[in-house]
Structure formats: C-alpha cells, structure tokens
Amino acid sequence: CGLSNLTSIDIPSNVTSIGNSSFEGCTSLTSIDIPSNVTSIGNRSFAGCTSLTSIDIPNKVTSIGNSTFSGCSSLTSITIPNSVTKIGNFAFYECSSLTSITIPNNVTSIGKETFYKCSSLTSVTIGSSVNYIATDAFNYCPELANIVVNSNNGVFNSKNKCNAIIFTSENKLIKGGKNTIIPSDVRIIGEYTLLSLNHYQQ
C-alpha cells in the first residue's frame, strides 16, 4: 500500500470486487467499509494491515481468498456471512489478537494454516457443512480451549485445551490431548494431526 498513513477508506457502493493485494501493507488502516455489492475479495487483499481491528464481510461474498487477512495482528473480531462457502489457505495467518471465530454453516472447507499462530484464539464455532480441514489449520493456537461443531450428529464441545483436531468420515471432530479416542469410521489422519501444540511453545 503506497498510502502508509491511510487510516480509513470508504469504497464506492457500485464496487463488486476487491482485487488481489488491494490494501496489502496499509499499516495505518484501522477501519474499512466494504459495500454490500462486493461478491469477491482477492488473495492478500488486507494482508499486513496491522492496525485493522475489525471488519464485516458483506452477505454476497462467497469465498475468502488465500492470505486475505494474513498478518492483521490487531484484528480482534470479524463477521463471516452465511454466503461464504470456502476459506482459503493462510486466510487469518498470524492474526494474533483474534479471540473467537464463527465459521458459517455453508463453509465446506478450511484451508491450510488458516488460523496458524492465532495465539489469542480461545473459541471456534464450526458450521455443519465443513468436511475438510487442511494441515495445520489451528496449529500454534495455545489458548484454544473451546471448539463447538454444529453437525448433523449434534454439538461437540471441548472444555479443555485442544491440542489437535481431526475430522471423521461423518463430519465429527474429536479432540487430541490426554484422552484421545479415534472413532472406527475415521478413514484418513492428516499430517501432524495429533502433534501437541505444546511442542511449539517457547
């Protein structure tokens, strides 16, 4: 971003797409109003916006691109609408101030290292349609203590530190930690699935 002193911006209401790296590196940007007509947000659109504290994504957006909010270290809250079906790789990588996230029911996949090093993340709610979580999606999240999965099989609630999570063929999540039970319907266990997060803490 060539305008390093830019603190806020109003995007015209007729804009329907935000291109790749549009606001990348705007380190002074604290707020932005995305018009309701926007349907797509490109890769790295807000990457490195270290002063951005919150953002609302319009209801017409269907996917969050790769590294869209990567490095937004001051981002404490974000609203993901039900229209979103895919969250890309590294989308919230190193959003170290993000404390909770709700993934809507229409999202079907969570990309690689999506919430990697979200060191303040304590609570995650995952929608009922998610059937794939990529490698290291929640790695380096030492404070993650509560995961709620709204699935057809009921609600999963982890009250203890969640060191690892894996998906089963029936869209159920289980917790890795002191007492790990792997259901008989598990078909694939991904790389580093049960590698304790404590291994990474310095």
Side-chain angles (χ1 to χ4, degrees), residues 22-202:
S22 295
F23 300 97
E24 182 176 1
C26 289
T27 56
S28 297
L29 187 66
T30 59
S31 64
I32 188 166
D33 184 14
I34 300 178
S36 59
N37 287 324
V38 170
T39 59
S40 64
I41 302 176
N43 298 334
R44 301 191 64 84
S45 295
F46 300 96
C49 292
T50 55
S51 297
L52 190 65
T53 59
S54 64
I55 192 166
D56 289 336
I57 299 175
N59 290 325
K60 292 182 180 180
V61 173
T62 58
S63 66
I64 297 174
N66 296 334
S67 302
T68 301
F69 300 100
S70 177
C72 291
S73 56
S74 296
L75 189 66
T76 59
S77 66
I78 186 166
T79 301
I80 302 176
N82 289 327
S83 56
V84 172
T85 60
K86 180 181 179 181
I87 300 176
N89 299 331
F90 317 106
F92 298 96
Y93 186 98
E94 289 189 336
C95 288
S96 56
S97 296
L98 191 65
T99 58
S100 65
I101 192 79
T102 297
I103 299 171
N105 287 333
N106 288 326
V107 171
T108 58
S109 65
I110 300 173
K112 178 181 178 181
E113 298 184 18
T114 300
F115 298 98
Y116 190 89
K117 285 190 176 180
C118 288
S119 55
S120 297
L121 191 64
T122 61
S123 177
V124 175
T125 300
I126 299 177
S128 59
S129 296
V130 172
N131 54 35
Y132 177 72
I133 295 180
T135 303
D136 290 337
F138 295 95
N139 214 342
Y140 278 86
C141 295
E143 300 302 319
L144 184 57
N146 191 53
I147 295 178
V148 175
V149 180
N150 297 315
S151 71
N152 294 330
N153 301 303
V155 176
F156 172 92
N157 190 350
S158 167
K159 294 181 180 180
N160 299 316
K161 294 288 184 180
C162 185
N163 288 333
I165 56 175
I166 59 177
F167 248 152
T168 75
S169 60
E170 293 183 356
N171 295 343
K172 292 184 292 185
L173 285 173
I174 64 173
K175 175 174 67 68
K178 293 182 179 179
N179 300 299
T180 300
I181 299 174
I182 301 178
S184 60
D185 61 356
V186 172
R187 297 179 182 179
I188 298 173
I189 298 178
E191 296 177 355
Y192 311 112
T193 298
L194 297 177
L195 186 62
S196 172
L197 291 179
N198 293 329
H199 174 77
Y200 293 103
Q201 305 312 307
Q202 301 298 323

